[in-house]
Amino acid sequence: MMGDFFEMNRKFFQLAAPSYVIPGTIGDNCLVLKDQVREVGLTLFESTACLNYTDKDIPRELAGLNLGFHVHLPLDYDWTTGAEEVFSLTTRLLQKVQFLRPDKFVLHPPINEKDLDRFASLWTDRFGKRGRGETERRRSGETGSGKNGEITALERSGVLKGQNLLVENIDENDLTGCWDVVCAKNLGVCLDLGHILAYDQWSLLDLPTLWERVKLLHVYGLEKNKKHYGLEELNEEGKELLRYILDRVRGGITLVLEVFSLAEFVSSKRMLVDWLHSWRIELV
């Protein structure tokens, strides 16, 4: 009975990896990772290159690997073109991966909170209610086939809603300046441990409703010159911060071990499992 009590009081998190740990396609990486994790983050970092992906890059067979997926949207969005153009580009990218049914979408937020507000409005206006996008297409006479139809499956699934659009704390935007927009649009958060440490973003941790909004954690040892290092580089302050965060976020969310080398991923995973086990936390 006592063992059952402690088991019930354990926290569980789902482990994920980025879709680039070896040179190769997303398909190649998923095949390598399928026995290591339960979820893969599709790193659509370069907008033009990713728009040119074909079935050779993201093969249909990936849907049968029993993996969950989320999407990291491009790092090179040009917000000077306007939120409408960025949103249009986003919908075209999502057409490439809709068959994998990703359920979280990470956005590096623009510096200008008005751009974030507009992008979030476009997102929620189109995706805010299950099936609404399909209903609007029927009213407008669209058939749901072709390019528009490609995104319909995701719209029907109900995952393309505000709280599954996750803004990440980044070097240029620690979220404190756009928090009113995050709350008003009911957005989620991808909390990056390395960015808090590298860019002195401690005030982020005091934002109201932060912990209930976090749906994804980025964990790694150190960010230096925009490169991520394995957990061997995480100092004691970083380790304490990781435990602090894990104690406060909801159990069951996804923890991404965000390193881009298979060897570093495997060694970091081993360290992470040991740490979490000692904290009565498990990865699934």
Side-chain angles (χ1 to χ4, degrees):
M1 290 294 292
M2 188 63 71
D4 292 340
F5 171 79
F6 284 122
E7 190 65 27
M8 288 172 61
N9 283 274
R10 283 181 182 271
K11 250 186 179 178
F12 293 83
F13 294 93
Q14 180 154 290
L15 181 64
S19 65
Y20 188 83
V21 293
I22 61 168
T25 66
I26 286 178
D28 296 333
N29 278 266
C30 288
L31 288 174
V32 167
L33 291 166
K34 66 182 176 64
D35 296 322
Q36 293 284 341
V37 296
R38 300 282 288 273
E39 183 174 330
V40 170
L42 302 169
T43 52
L44 306 184
F45 286 166
E46 299 178 351
S47 54
T48 301
C50 293
L51 280 174
N52 291 324
Y53 277 170
T54 68
D55 287 350
K56 290 183 178 179
D57 301 290
I58 315 176
R60 296 279 163 168
E61 291 76 13
L62 295 186
L65 292 183
N66 198 31
L67 286 168
F69 295 93
H70 66 269
V71 173
H72 197 308
L73 296 169
L75 309 181
D76 62 354
Y77 278 153
D78 182 2
W79 291 95
T80 65
T81 63
E84 289 81 1
E85 181 60 32
V86 173
F87 180 74
S88 175
L89 174 57
T90 301
T91 59
R92 283 181 280 149
L93 284 168
L94 293 183
Q95 291 166 15
K96 298 286 184 178
V97 297
Q98 59 84 25
F99 72 98
L100 295 174
R101 302 292 196 273
D103 64 356
K104 296 175 288 292
F105 307 86
V106 179
L107 176 70
H108 278 198
I111 296 174
N112 188 333
E113 67 175 317
K114 291 181 179 179
D115 289 330
L116 177 61
D117 183 79
R118 180 59 181 150
F119 183 91
S121 293
L122 291 165
W123 183 282
T124 54
D125 285 349
R126 178 164 182 183
F127 304 135
K129 293 180 181 179
R130 175 177 286 197
R132 188 168 74 180
E134 176 68 7
T135 300
E136 289 176 352
R137 270 194 296 279
R138 289 178 184 273
R139 287 175 179 168
S140 66
E142 295 179 23
T143 64
S145 60
K147 288 185 177 180
N148 287 321
E150 283 295 323
I151 207 169
T152 301
L154 275 179
E155 291 179 89
R156 285 191 187 130
S157 73
V159 300
L160 289 167
K161 50 192 176 183
Q163 57 263 48
N164 288 342
L165 176 62
L166 314 183
V167 287
E168 180 182 344
N169 56 303
I170 57 174
D171 181 9
E172 300 85 0
N173 190 335
D174 67 0
L175 304 184
T176 58
C178 63
W179 196 246
D180 287 346
V181 174
V182 173
C183 295
K185 300 300 183 183
N186 197 26
L187 304 182
V189 170
C190 170
L191 191 61
D192 191 298
L193 173 83
H195 291 165
I196 295 173
L197 294 166
Y199 307 118
D200 193 23
Q201 296 181 344
W202 298 91
S203 60
L204 164 64
L205 303 179
D206 296 323
L207 290 172
T209 74
L210 170 67
W211 303 118
E212 65 194 60
R213 294 185 183 279
V214 175
K215 292 198 169 187
L216 204 64
L217 294 173
H218 282 175
V219 176
Y220 48 94
L222 173 71
E223 176 166 298
K224 187 175 181 180
N225 298 323
K226 301 297 184 179
K227 176 178 170 58
H228 290 190
Y229 293 85
L231 288 182
E232 295 88 352
E233 300 296 328
L234 191 67
N235 59 22
E236 281 303 312
E237 180 183 46
K239 192 174 172 182
E240 289 174 9
L241 175 59
L242 174 60
R243 186 170 187 180
Y244 178 88
I245 291 171
L246 292 176
D247 281 344
R248 284 158 179 78
V249 296
R250 294 175 176 175
I253 67 171
T254 299
L255 188 157
V256 186
L257 197 46
E258 200 182 35
V259 292
F260 301 97
S261 150
L262 183 60
E264 280 190 303
F265 180 86
V266 171
S267 62
S268 293
K269 177 183 174 183
R270 190 178 305 117
M271 294 181 67
L272 182 64
V273 168
D274 288 343
W275 295 347
L276 298 190
H277 186 73
S278 71
W279 301 338
R280 304 200 63 77
I281 297 172
E282 299 295 337
L283 290 174
V284 296

